[in-house]
């Protein structure tokens, strides 16, 4: 009888979500961390978030549902990422992990220096570690080679990895040399109750194409500009609404100044709370990404009832069923043909009802299901036995970068020195007194 009760009782985990990317910064990784944390809290777990400072936002803040966020006083080096010192932040990170009684460190994004650094520190402290990869990388250019090798080193001793698509899993297994059985596929999700359709906001006299994206090379802004320049002269009733900002904004501004001011609206950077209000004005959503592990934007657009036209790159073909998306090759002629097919189906009424699209997305992707699947990963790795320092060093040696063993050894020695100076029991007292 007692065995059955203990078997049915759900284990409560204390989780530290960590990444360089979090609120007030906006993006897919930030939304993923926030929503996953909220659902895990609802399921009875304790969750904290550790990130670096954002301007004057330093110290501890509390968000919805009591989500505790540590904005550590760590300087940003480039593109919202901290400097990869590996050793300078050890005392501070150790203090936070002990103070909050963390059991599992969950890092997000291959670009996040803080995520990898705190994962390694947590592993040396005997904690369990999970890493979620949100991106795809190539194998040829120098930046990809360096990133892949760094990722391979950092994931050498990670307990488990999560990828957001099956294509992403294959990519991570190949470039980071992670064993396939240690990688799970858990997709992103969308709050379909927030991204609801509203056909009354559409203009019936024109066909409106909405684009919401960061205007960077990876998002195919060059293709986007070429498609706009090709279609606007041929279709007078076509309108483009572009939300987002980035270094490639000048390209769209140039296109707009060539006599297309009446049919191209550039909204600039949008808060995530305003994205739905822009999406519901459109009939078609256009995504021109050149690489994508999982595109959150097309799911949000489909939830709002838009017909999606997208390049079939990375994990995008896995995301939506065929009757909700037009997949094209990443070139101008194919994208134009996809948009024309979508316009033809709109005219003939061969499309799903917007509210039916919302119901489908609600069933396919919801955060409670994602949190339940992530919880299974936490339960699984909590049974893993801790490795000795020698076995951990052997894991890092498998990456082939033997000088990194000196870095790990130095980190371990600094942790031992910090333990001598600031003993663990003193931190527990400070936590109990809420200091």
């Amino acid at each position: 009888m007692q065995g059955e009760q203990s078997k049915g009782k759900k284990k409560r985990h204390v989780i530290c979500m960590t990444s360089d990317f979090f609120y007030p910064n906006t993006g897919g990784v930030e939304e993923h961390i926030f929503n996953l944390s909220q659902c895990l809290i609802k399921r009875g777990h304790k969750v904290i978030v550790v990130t670096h400072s954002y301007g004057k936002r330093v110290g501890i803040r509390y968000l919805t549902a009591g989500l505790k966020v540590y904005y550590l006083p760590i300087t940003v080096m480039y593109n919202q990422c901290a400097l990869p010192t590996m050793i300078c932040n050890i005392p501070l990170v150790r203090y936070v992990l002990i103070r909050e009684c963390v059991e599992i460190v969950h890092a997000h994004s291959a670009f996040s220096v803080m995520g990898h650094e705190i994962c390694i520190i947590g592993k040396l402290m005997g904690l369990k570690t999970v890493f979620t990869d949100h991106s795809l990388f190539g194998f040829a250019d120098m930046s990809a080679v360096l990133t892949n090798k760094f990722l391979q080193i950092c994931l050498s001793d990670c307990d488990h990895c999560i990828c957001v698509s099956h294509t992403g899993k294959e990519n991570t297994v190949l470039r980071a040399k992670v064993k396939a059985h240690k990688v799970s596929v858990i997709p992103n999700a969308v709050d379909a109750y927030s991204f609801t359709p509203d056909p009354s906001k559409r203009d019936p006299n024109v066909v409106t194409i909405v684009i919401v994206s960061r205007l960077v090379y990876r998002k195919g802004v060059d293709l986007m500009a070429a498609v706009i320049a090709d279609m606007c002269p041929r279709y007078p009733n076509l309108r483009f609404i572009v939300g987002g900002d980035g270094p490639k904004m000048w390209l769209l501004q140039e296109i707009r100044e060539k006599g297309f001011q009446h049919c191209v609206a550039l909204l600039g950077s949008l808060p995530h709370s305003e994205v739905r209000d822009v999406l519901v004005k459109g009939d078609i959503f256009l995504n021109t990404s050149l690489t994508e592990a999982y595109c959150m934007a097309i799911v949000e657009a489909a939830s709002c009832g838009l017909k999606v036209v997208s390049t079939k790159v990375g994990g995008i073909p896995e995301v939506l069923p065929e009757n909700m998306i037009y997949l094209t090759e990443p070139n101008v002629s194919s994208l134009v043909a996809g948009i024309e097919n979508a316009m033809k189906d709109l005219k003939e009424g061969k499309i799903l009802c917007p509210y039916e699209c919302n119901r489908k997305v609600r069933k396919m992707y919801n955060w409670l299901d994602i949190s339940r699947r992530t919880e299974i990963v936490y339960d699984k790795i909590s049974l893993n036995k801790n490795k000795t320092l020698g076995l951990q060093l052997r894991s890092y040696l498998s990456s082939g970068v033997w000088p990194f063993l000196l870095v790990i050894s130095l980190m371990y020695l600094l942790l031992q020195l910090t333990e001598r100076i600031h003993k663990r029991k003193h931190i527990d007292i400070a936590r109990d007194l809420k200091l």
Side-chain angles (χ1 to χ4, degrees), residues 379-397:
D379 291 338
K380 181 180 177 181
I381 65 170
S382 64
L383 302 175
N384 292 354
K385 293 182 179 179
N386 290 330
K387 293 181 180 179
T388 61
L389 178 62
L391 289 175
Q392 289 186 51
L393 290 175
R394 185 177 295 178
S395 297
Y396 289 114
L397 185 60

Side-chain angles (χ1 to χ4, degrees), residues 24 64 87 109 113 144 176 206 219 224 285 320 401 411 417:
T64 308
I87 60 174
S109 178
V113 172
V206 297
K219 294 294 185 179
M224 192 189 303
F285 182 84
L320 293 173
V401 186
M411 292 175 73
L417 178 61

Side-chain angles (χ1 to χ4, degrees), residues 318-374:
E318 303 174 30
V319 178
L320 293 173
E322 291 182 0
N323 60 349
M324 295 177 70
I325 187 171
Y326 295 85
L327 293 171
T328 70
E329 297 296 331
N331 58 61
V332 176
S333 58
S334 183
L335 281 164
V336 169
I339 293 171
E340 288 174 340
N341 288 336
M343 291 169 63
K344 181 182 176 183
D345 287 349
L346 279 170
K347 186 176 180 181
E348 296 175 358
K350 297 178 181 179
I351 57 171
L352 287 175
C353 167
Y355 297 101
E356 178 63 24
C357 291
N358 183 266
R359 282 192 290 270
K360 282 179 174 288
V361 171
R362 196 182 304 171
K363 289 179 181 178
M364 289 188 292
Y365 304 111
N366 67 81
W367 282 112
L368 287 174
D369 178 56
I370 301 307
S371 62
R372 180 185 58 80
R373 293 162 70 175
T374 306

Side-chain angles (χ1 to χ4, degrees), residues 55 67 121 208 218 224 236 267 281 308 324 330 352 368 373:
L67 176 62
I121 294 170
T208 304
R218 187 175 70 84
M224 192 189 303
L267 305 181
K281 295 178 182 178
V308 177
M324 295 177 70
L352 287 175
L368 287 174
R373 293 162 70 175

Side-chain angles (χ1 to χ4, degrees), residues 155 160-161 169 172-174 176-184:
L155 298 185
H160 205 82
C161 294
K169 176 179 177 177
T172 300
V173 168
L174 287 172
K177 294 181 172 60
V178 183
K179 294 179 181 177
H181 71 270
K182 292 177 65 177
V183 185
S184 299

Side-chain angles (χ1 to χ4, degrees), residues 57 185 193 247:
R57 188 181 288 266
V185 177
Y193 294 95

Side-chain angles (χ1 to χ4, degrees), residues 37-62:
S37 299
Q38 293 294 316
C39 289
L40 287 171
I41 289 172
K42 286 181 181 178
R43 292 181 65 84
H45 304 286
K46 177 183 175 181
V47 183
I48 66 165
V49 177
V50 177
T51 186
H52 57 66
S53 60
Y54 278 87
K56 295 182 179 179
R57 188 181 288 266
V58 184
I60 298 173
R61 299 290 189 277
Y62 288 90

